Amino acid sequence: MKTLIISPTYNERKNVAQIIHEVFSRNPDHHMLIVDDSSPDGTADIVRGLQEKYPNLFLEIREKKDGLGKAYIYGFKWALARDYDFIAQMDADMSHHPKEITKMVELLGDYDVAIGSRYINGVSVVNWPIRRLVISYGANLYSRLATGMPLKDATGGYKVWSKKVLESIDLDGVKSSGYSFQIEMNFRAWIKGFKLVEHPIIFIDRTIGESKMSRTIMFEAVWIVWRLRIWRIFGWNK
């Protein structure tokens, strides 16, 4: 059973080597794909240098910075074209620790999607200011009430997908490009009847580099939730 770990990057030269080392030190048989949006800081050069050490490390470069969601869609299509059984997604800044991947892959023996959850056992977040924690927790409550999805952490970006789930989703039809991409992908899997499970993780906010969060991304998340609710009311299940 082949597993691919996808990490999108943009200006992550300070973090990318560490995440790659951690992934392969714990899961040497897994494969990893870095999807870089033409980072001007030389992120791709660091990855190329590490490919000599890690033969299961792959690099794809997109022409420009075009959103987290589109980077993942690119990675999902790449994975499906190469027949991976399990496809993991994780941030490149070490906020998602690679030690959880094995546990999440094992969950796919009984489920179809494993979600690394910050809120399934209380609140498991480190280094966040209270304002950001309130926004994140509130966004997940808002998402749960609006869409009906029984998820405590629908906005989390640490997941493992079974191939059959991604094959069933119209990836070209995904509307979100920011963090609401996580909500929409969960919704598309859930509305089709796939089994989603939340696995508790400790989320440690980046200590190096800058957050990619913006007001535009937040506003996108507000309207996409209601769009999903409308789709559910009218029986949409593409």
Side-chain angles (χ1 to χ4, degrees):
M1 305 292 279
K2 296 195 303 181
T3 299
L4 177 71
I5 301 156
I6 303 170
S7 285
T9 56
Y10 184 76
N11 285 350
E12 293 288 359
R13 64 171 293 119
K14 296 178 181 178
N15 296 300
V16 72
Q18 183 182 3
I19 192 68
I20 290 170
H21 290 315
E22 286 284 348
V23 164
F24 287 115
S25 67
R26 296 173 182 276
N27 305 284
D29 294 329
H30 289 177
H31 292 191
M32 186 174 191
L33 171 66
I34 302 296
V35 180
D36 186 65
D37 279 4
S38 295
S39 298
D41 72 343
T43 297
D45 293 332
I46 294 174
V47 177
R48 288 191 190 96
L50 290 171
Q51 284 181 302
E52 296 181 9
K53 181 176 182 179
Y54 301 113
N56 292 344
L57 175 63
F58 302 95
L59 172 67
E60 290 288 322
I61 299 177
R62 301 198 305 158
E63 292 184 359
K64 62 179 180 179
K65 185 179 181 183
D66 197 27
L68 180 73
K70 291 183 179 179
Y72 272 126
I73 293 297
Y74 184 101
F76 291 159
K77 290 180 177 181
W78 192 95
L80 293 177
R82 290 157 180 80
D83 202 30
Y84 285 94
D85 300 289
F86 305 122
I87 299 96
Q89 59 173 83
M90 64 186 301
D91 291 350
D93 61 6
M94 285 298 296
S95 55
H96 299 148
H97 202 289
K99 69 180 181 179
E100 304 295 341
I101 290 175
T102 298
K103 300 173 187 176
M104 292 167 71
V105 169
E106 289 174 352
L107 287 170
L108 296 192
D110 298 309
Y111 298 91
D112 303 306
V113 184
I115 301 169
S117 178
R118 299 162 291 184
Y119 304 124
I120 192 67
N121 289 338
V123 176
S124 301
V125 176
V126 178
N127 290 340
W128 261 9
I130 189 65
R131 177 176 176 273
R132 186 169 178 186
L133 178 59
V134 168
I135 291 173
S136 173
Y137 194 86
N140 278 287
L141 177 60
Y142 167 71
S143 170
R144 189 161 66 251
L145 293 174
T147 66
M149 281 192 297
L151 296 177
K152 294 288 186 68
D153 194 356
T155 64
Y158 196 5
K159 305 176 200 175
V160 182
W161 303 84
S162 173
K163 175 178 65 174
K164 64 182 178 182
V165 180
L166 295 180
E167 286 178 331
S168 75
I169 292 174
D170 176 15
L171 296 176
D172 290 326
V174 175
K175 306 300 181 184
S176 309
S177 60
Y179 285 88
S180 58
F181 168 79
Q182 312 296 357
I183 302 173
E184 181 174 349
M185 286 295 293
N186 289 336
F187 180 85
R188 285 175 177 265
W190 173 69
I191 205 70
K192 284 179 172 288
F194 289 109
K195 295 187 292 184
L196 284 63
V197 63
E198 292 184 87
H199 169 71
I201 63 167
I202 297 176
F203 179 91
I204 302 177
D205 194 27
R206 64 164 60 237
T207 56
I208 300 175
E210 298 181 359
S211 171
K212 310 299 192 300
M213 180 64 75
S214 69
R215 287 189 177 183
T216 300
I217 290 172
M218 292 174 63
F219 289 144
E220 180 190 60
V222 170
W223 73 261
I224 196 65
V225 165
W226 287 101
R227 183 168 187 165
L228 297 177
R229 181 181 176 88
I230 292 170
W231 283 344
R232 183 186 178 195
I233 290 172
F234 287 96
W236 173 91
N237 67 348
K238 294 183 179 180

